[in-house]
Every structure is written in C-alpha cells, then in structure tokens.
Amino acid sequence: MSDGAGKGRIILHIDMNAFYCSVHAAENPEDYMGKPTAVAGSVELRKGIVVTSSYEARAKGVRTGMTVRQALSACPDLLVISPDFDLYRKYSKGFMRIAGNYTPLVEAVSIDECFLDITGSSQFGSAFEIAETIARRVKEELSLPCSIGIAPNKLLAKMASDMRKPDAITILRRRDMPKLLWDKSCQTLYGIGARTADKLLRLNIRTIGELAAADESMLMDRFGVYGSWMKRAANGYDDSPVEPLHEAPKSIGHTTTLPADLTERDQYRRVLLNLADQTTRRLRHQRMVSSTIQITIRDPDMRTITRSVTLSVPTEAADDVYAAACKLMDAHWQEGKPVRLLGITLQTLTPKKETPLQLDLFTYEAEPKKERLITAMDSLRDKFGESAVLTAGMLGDDPSTLIRNKKLRGTSLQKDFLRDPSDSEEG
C-alpha cells in the first residue's frame, strides 16, 4: 500500500480555535477576552442554538447545539453574542492571507480552517518552524489562537490538529497511527460520521485499529468504494491533493526583517534578489504577470518608504523584477544608510494567457528560451525544494568572503533573512 501522490509531502491543517468567540474577543477584548461566551441566534428570545462557545464556557458545560436557555442554565454568567458573519469573513481572510505567505497551495475547507501543502517551502524553515511562525503571526496580528497539525497527508494533518486544543502544534506520522489512534472509536477518524460508525459497529468493528485490519472486500461489499477508502484511511493513507481556490490576487508581496542592519549596496541587492525570486515564484504559480514593481524600505528607526515603477512590458521573471527593484533602491536610498527591512510587492496583476507581450527584434528569439529555462527551474524546485536551484547572485560574488561571513551565504539568506517574513497578498 502506497501514499501515491502523497509520498514525500508535508501538509499543515490550520484549525482556528472557537473561531467566532475568539473573533469577538479579539475585537472587544475588554468585554469578552478570557470570559465564558457563546455565539447563538435569537438571543433575545432565548430560543437560539449555540453555534460555538469559548473554552471558558465549555469548561462550565456549554456545548454546541444547546439552546441558549440550556447554556445559560449550565453557565449563568455566560455572555451570549449575536453572530456577525461580515466580521468573521474579515478575520478569515486575515489568517488565510498569513497562511498564503508560506505557500501558494492553500485550500480553504471552511471559514475557520484550511490545508497547506508546504512541501516546497523549506526556505522558511522546517515544517515545525513554519507552523510556529504561522501560529505566532496569527496570535500577534489577529489576536486569535489556532491549532496546527503537521503530517504527510491531509487526513493525518486534520487528525493531528484535532488532537490538542487550543493553541497547539501536533505532528502525526503514519507510523504513529497504531499507538495514538487505533484504540479510538471509528467515528474519531476524519470522514466517518455517526451513521457509518453505527454500521461498522454492527459488523463488530469498533475501533480504528479494527477497521485497519478489516477485510477490504467485505467492506467494499457493504460500503462500495467508500469501504476501500475507510480501510486506507484507518491505516493512515490519503493521496488527495491540496486544491487552492484560484482567486486572482490583487498583489503579491514579500517583506523580510533583516537579522542585522545592512549598509552596503551588494548586501541589500542580494536580499532584493531573494525577494524578487520568491515573489515571482508565487506570481508564476498564480499564472499571472505584473506591470508594477514596488519596493518597501525601513530603517532602524522604523521609518518606512515605498516606491514603485510601472514597466513597459508585463513580466513574470525574477531578473526583470530584480532590475527594477535595484533601480528604485539606487534612486531613493543612499548607500551607507542602514536598512532594517526590505520588501518587494508585485502589483497591476493580469492573467498571463490574457496579456499580450510586446516582443521586439532583439527579444523575440530570446524570450521563449528564457521562459523554458524559468519553467525548468520551477519544476526542479517544486520537486526538490527551493534550494535545488540558486543563482550566482544569491551565493555572492566572492565565495571565500561568504564562507567567512555566515549571515551572507546564499543558504543563510534563505534561512536567516526569510525566517520571519511578513508577506502581504491581497485578493
């Protein structure tokens, strides 16, 4: 039995904890933070049903599906809040935006959870480091707690995020299934509901472990192809891909706070090259081209400027973006002035297939070759990770100097400069 398409993947599942209640606490901390709250309809009539409750309310016996009257009986000091779906959508876009900073492969499952395929995102750190960064940014930027599961497939990532709540990160490997999950009831397995669990019980299949050992032909006789899926799932196999919604973004950006202030042109140009590489990678994943390049510069005193230029021809290539960014930097920043943060944002985005490119006598032969090279490099990095292909500029001009200066090595640029990114992608 094989994971198929899932072999070698790294999947995250982000589950926002008590999302609706947490959003209200983030918006009005003085009224709701740390207090027993519940979101329900028909609050005035006390006949509404509890949609969700805070962990403080759950500790006092409040449960989803209770009537407001029952919830108040269990917890007299419960604060009952009417739902505000516009507010929830605002915060949902916020945490999805943060998630999208680390991979273009984000699949929204619902308003409060999503899957991420971070197989090709090693430039941001290990899987656990990426999960930690996302959880920290969601807490700092949105004041929301979340649980994150890390696994080789979507099924196990979802199971992992459910194992510890709130505000936790859990790793679940397929080899962990027998010890951690096989003694649980079948209904615990993601994708199996109460009715199916009852049918399995009538077949004397009570636990996930018993389901994993069950005869597949018998399961298929009773449940069809769903029976085969259940056995595979009970053994931890899932080859379903992360399928992002292809909603065109308005901009694609990446900013990075540098581990040390930079003052030399060669130093910050190397950072700009990495930023151009990362943003255009995401641009190509979206099958878009950009006509406007914007840079963001911040000094140690937190003074920030942005400058932009509109290109005569839309582009998806890192070298075009890098050249434009360098010209903007040279024009608007004096060498020797310290730089604390740098960013590149690609704006005026259009679908590549709908954008006519104007080729002149000097570029019409070179452009197809350049595009084939970019496509080949992207394919290599998708398969083997971001560090599979590095340009000479990322590694620096003088290898001996870079070896002496660890923080300016190409590998360290990706590890150190991009460790704590605060990208911005709107759309």
Side-chain angles (χ1 to χ4, degrees), residues 102-357:
Y102 302 92
T103 174
L105 301 176
V106 179
E107 178 181 346
V109 181
S110 64
I111 197 170
D112 63 346
E113 60 178 313
C114 64
F115 289 106
L116 284 69
D117 187 332
I118 60 166
T119 308
S121 300
S122 59
Q123 74 272 23
F124 298 116
S126 68
F128 192 83
E129 288 170 337
I130 292 172
E132 275 191 319
T133 301
I134 291 173
R136 175 181 54 76
R137 288 188 59 191
V138 169
K139 178 67 69 67
E140 291 177 355
E141 297 174 28
L142 302 175
S143 299
L144 297 179
C146 67
S147 293
I148 302 180
I150 306 172
N153 57 52
K154 291 167 68 175
L155 170 76
L156 295 185
K158 169 64 176 175
M159 299 285 289
S161 68
D162 286 338
M163 290 174 72
R164 292 194 301 141
K165 292 182 178 182
D167 220 5
I169 299 172
T170 305
I171 299 174
L172 181 61
R173 304 173 181 88
R174 207 172 65 79
R175 65 175 180 265
D176 301 326
M177 289 280 289
K179 180 180 178 181
L180 298 179
L181 294 174
W182 275 7
D183 63 339
K184 308 295 183 186
S185 68
C186 290
Q187 193 174 342
T188 309
L189 188 64
Y190 177 52
I192 295 183
R195 293 177 62 183
T196 301
D198 287 341
K199 292 178 181 178
L200 289 170
L201 189 60
R202 291 196 288 272
L203 297 172
N204 292 319
I205 300 174
R206 298 173 176 81
T207 66
I208 296 175
E210 291 172 342
L211 179 58
D215 181 73
E216 185 171 354
S217 60
M218 180 271 293
L219 291 172
M220 292 187 70
D221 286 342
R222 302 298 177 95
F223 299 97
V225 292
Y226 181 50
S228 177
W229 175 88
M230 286 193 291
K231 181 176 175 67
R232 282 177 55 80
N235 282 284
Y237 292 103
D238 174 29
D239 57 7
S240 58
V242 172
E243 299 179 315
L245 293 175
H246 296 289
E247 183 177 333
K250 296 178 181 177
S251 65
I252 293 176
H254 192 89
T255 62
T256 183
T257 301
L258 308 172
D261 296 342
L262 303 185
T263 57
E264 298 175 14
R265 177 180 284 125
D266 286 345
Q267 291 177 332
Y268 55 65
R269 280 196 167 190
R270 216 164 296 152
V271 180
L272 289 175
L273 180 57
N274 275 269
L275 293 171
D277 178 62
Q278 292 301 318
T279 51
T280 52
R281 276 273 284 159
R282 288 165 55 195
L283 183 73
R284 292 190 295 273
H285 271 291
Q286 296 280 354
R287 295 180 174 83
M288 309 285 278
V289 292
S290 171
S291 298
T292 303
I293 313 303
Q294 176 183 283
I295 65 169
T296 301
I297 313 168
R298 181 177 298 161
D299 68 15
D301 295 325
M302 304 302 287
R303 289 188 291 266
T304 304
I305 68 167
T306 60
R307 297 293 185 268
S308 63
V309 62
T310 299
L311 306 178
S312 58
V313 178
T315 187
E316 62 174 6
D319 55 352
D320 294 336
V321 172
Y322 171 63
C326 287
K327 286 182 180 179
L328 286 169
M329 190 83 179
D330 289 344
H332 300 285
W333 199 259
Q334 182 180 352
E335 186 175 9
K337 288 179 61 178
V339 178
R340 181 61 176 154
L341 172 147
L342 281 174
I344 290 180
T345 301
L346 309 182
Q347 301 172 330
T348 318
L349 307 186
T350 54
K352 181 180 177 180
K353 64 180 180 181
E354 299 175 11
T355 306
L357 300 181

Side-chain angles (χ1 to χ4, degrees), residues 30-68:
E30 66 284 355
D31 294 331
Y32 301 126
M33 188 69 72
K35 298 177 182 179
T37 61
V39 172
S42 304
V43 174
E44 297 80 3
L45 299 176
R46 297 164 67 89
K47 294 178 182 178
I49 301 297
V50 171
V51 177
T52 191
S53 56
S54 66
Y55 284 91
E56 293 81 3
R58 295 177 195 186
K60 297 185 177 183
V62 178
R63 297 288 180 267
T64 298
M66 280 184 169
T67 65
V68 171

